[in-house]
Amino acid sequence: MSSKEGHMKVLIVGAGVIGVTSAWYLQRAGHDVTVVDRQQGPALETSFANAGMVSWGYATPWAAPGVPLKALRWQFERDAPLVMHWRADPAQWRFVGAMLRNCAADRYAVNKARLLRLGRYSYTAIVELRESLGLRYDEGSGGTLELFRDASQLEGMDRELELLAQAGIPARLLSTDECLEVEPGLARVRERLAGALSFPGDEIGDCRKFTESLAAHCAAAGVTFRYGVDVAGLQAAGARVEGVETDQGTLTADAYVLAAGSYTPGLLAPLGIRLPVFPVKGYSLTAPIVDPEAAPVSTMIDEARKVAITRLGDRLRVAGIAELAGFDMSLSETRYGVIERVARDWFPDAADLSQAEYWCGLRPMTPDGPPVVGPTRYGNLFLNNGHGTLGWTLSCGSSRLLADLVSGRETEIDPEGLTLERYA
């Protein structure tokens, strides 16, 4: 299954941003690629309306020092960024337990370094892809501002800046006045602002538009897309996968890639593979901008609420909340109340929220933060999964790495800590 054996038929399950970028790099590596998805087109689930951030600088594990105490406090706060439903679900409690173990300072430093390594690589990849294909997706390069509501949130920033510097990520702390120079729209609410952490290298863009555009380029290059196909399971014998069972028959290939987000662990379990990925529901609203001068130039992140506010052309995208509710896809008015209040707190006159479109999606999250990219114990089965809130940010780097691993080529970055092997 290496490049020495040449051309392979590769079947990818999932047509979100991870599946489509996987298809692009695998076909560029010389393989015959087919993508299957149960939806009627690309990017119709988790990639549909995410925060719009290509935030390689802000790539941070949710499992961080101080989070356990915050999580307890959040259970009693109306505007909490993390919401846990107390369910009798062993998978949820395994995920929570593993996440808490990764909140130690030493684990956080390791996991953040892994994310920054992949994030930097992914940023380079998306820039190359955009320039070579002329992709347009409401992209922008105005950077990210992590906004702090009070001075206490600035504590510990020296260590954070040190980790970023070690990874070569440009970042600096800004005073309130400096924030207003970068984002004049904040002038109306300057009393709420204690300062910010600036990531000037970060970008923005509409993930769905990007994925649809890249899927069209994939199809033109020979990738086959089969939509409306429900995948039921995998057929395996010995140390190899022999086919994918679907409602349209069994599909076969030489190699298989699972990029099915939160649904991937369920496909792996019958094969005896435990992938520690759990669905964490996020919410977003998208509203038309009515006062461009009062709207953000790029992306803001309310650090206290963990809500992102992004300008996508003439639209405002507001996204956030981490809700542990299994595979429940119901829309919660309470959660939307949180992100609406954050939007009004920072940019009260920018958009017409009465015309907002609401959405929720399941982010496939690992307990430590980095995704799982690469081989399994089945010689022809590969994963590109578990990107959590950073799927859009890490998509091109993860998929370029995956294509090298599937093809048996030397990788351009060290895959250490990014594969399933770290959970062995």
Side-chain angles (χ1 to χ4, degrees):
M1 298 301 298
S2 72
S3 57
K4 296 172 186 171
E5 295 166 299
H7 172 95
M8 291 187 293
K9 287 178 62 178
V10 182
L11 180 64
I12 300 171
V13 178
V17 69
I18 301 300
V20 171
T21 50
S22 296
W24 175 258
Y25 288 109
L26 283 164
Q27 68 82 23
R28 295 289 289 175
H31 303 301
D32 180 3
V33 181
T34 297
V35 182
V36 298
D37 195 285
R38 63 186 177 189
Q39 300 292 344
Q40 296 303 318
L44 291 178
E45 292 198 27
T46 304
S47 302
F48 184 81
N50 65 18
M53 299 165 57
V54 185
S55 50
W56 62 297
Y58 187 69
T60 299
W62 275 71
V67 164
L69 286 176
K70 288 180 183 176
L72 282 174
R73 189 176 71 244
W74 285 333
Q75 299 311 301
F76 306 99
E77 291 184 6
R78 181 185 66 163
D79 289 354
L82 173 65
V83 180
M84 282 185 57
H85 294 267
W86 303 94
R87 303 158 58 248
D89 181 353
Q92 177 172 311
W93 294 110
R94 280 196 301 269
F95 173 80
V96 171
M99 187 174 177
L100 290 174
R101 289 192 294 275
N102 276 281
C103 288
D106 58 340
R107 293 306 309 159
Y108 172 77
V110 168
N111 293 329
K112 186 171 180 84
R114 290 169 175 171
L115 279 174
L116 292 175
R117 183 196 334 146
L118 182 57
R120 186 180 181 86
Y121 180 56
S122 196
Y123 170 72
T124 302
I126 194 174
V127 170
E128 286 182 11
L129 202 55
R130 179 176 66 233
E131 293 179 353
S132 64
L133 297 180
L135 299 176
R136 290 293 169 262
Y137 46 92
D138 288 333
E139 73 280 3
S141 55
T144 297
L145 281 187
E146 184 180 1
L147 305 177
F148 304 117
R149 290 174 180 254
D150 63 68
S152 67
Q153 292 178 277
L154 297 167
E155 295 172 7
M157 278 298 121
D158 289 345
R159 176 59 178 150
E160 193 73 7
L161 288 167
E162 186 181 319
L163 289 171
L164 291 165
Q166 288 171 0
I169 308 294
R172 69 186 185 100
L173 280 174
L174 302 184
S175 67
T176 299
D177 287 340
E178 288 172 325
C179 290
L180 302 187
E181 291 176 15
V182 176
E183 282 287 352
L186 290 169
R188 306 171 195 216
V189 295
R190 66 171 296 150
E191 72 281 356
R192 287 199 174 95
L193 186 59
L197 186 57
S198 169
F199 300 94
D202 282 3
E203 298 195 357
I204 58 173
D206 188 318
C207 182
R208 182 189 181 190
K209 286 186 177 182
F210 171 87
T211 307
E212 289 174 337
S213 181
L214 186 59
H217 282 280
C218 285
V223 174
T224 300
F225 287 89
R226 295 186 58 178
Y227 296 116
V229 177
D230 273 317
V231 171
L234 306 177
Q235 294 178 353
R240 294 179 66 78
V241 170
E242 295 191 329
V244 174
E245 299 169 5
T246 79
D247 62 346
Q248 298 179 26
T250 300
L251 306 179
T252 61
D254 300 314
Y256 302 84
V257 174
L258 296 186
S262 299
Y263 298 91
T264 298
L267 296 173
L268 292 173
L271 303 186
I273 298 174
R274 178 178 285 183
L275 176 66
V277 163
F278 193 78
V280 178
K281 184 159 63 170
Y283 293 81
S284 78
L285 66 82
T286 307
I289 290 174
V290 292
D291 185 349
E293 298 299 317
V297 174
S298 188
T299 291
M300 312 288 104
I301 299 168
D302 184 324
E303 172 55 22
R305 302 287 176 254
K306 306 291 186 186
V307 171
I309 306 170
T310 303
R311 184 178 190 150
L312 297 174
D314 58 0
R315 300 166 297 150
L316 193 70
R317 173 73 50 79
V318 189
I321 309 295
E323 184 177 20
L324 276 67
F327 289 88
D328 174 19
M329 287 290 287
S330 60
L331 299 176
S332 165
E333 288 187 17
T334 302
R335 310 294 168 252
Y336 280 119
V338 175
I339 60 176
E340 286 174 356
R341 281 191 290 277
V342 170
R344 291 191 177 99
D345 278 354
W346 295 111
F347 298 98
D349 305 313
D352 184 356
L353 297 186
S354 70
Q355 295 187 50
E357 296 177 359
Y358 297 89
W359 172 88
C360 70
L362 300 177
R363 312 179 188 103
M365 293 190 73
T366 60
D368 48 351
V372 179
V373 182
T376 67
R377 67 168 179 260
Y378 291 83
N380 62 340
L381 177 62
F382 298 83
L383 306 177
N384 198 358
N385 207 264
H387 298 75
T389 58
L390 296 167
W392 180 200
T393 294
L394 302 178
S395 57
C396 289
S398 297
S399 298
R400 197 155 148 177
L401 173 62
L402 174 86
D404 285 341
L405 293 169
V406 171
S407 304
R409 302 187 304 205
E410 183 177 350
T411 60
E412 295 175 313
I413 62 166
D414 186 354
E416 184 277 326
L418 301 174
T419 70
L420 188 60
E421 201 172 56
R422 73 180 188 266
Y423 299 117

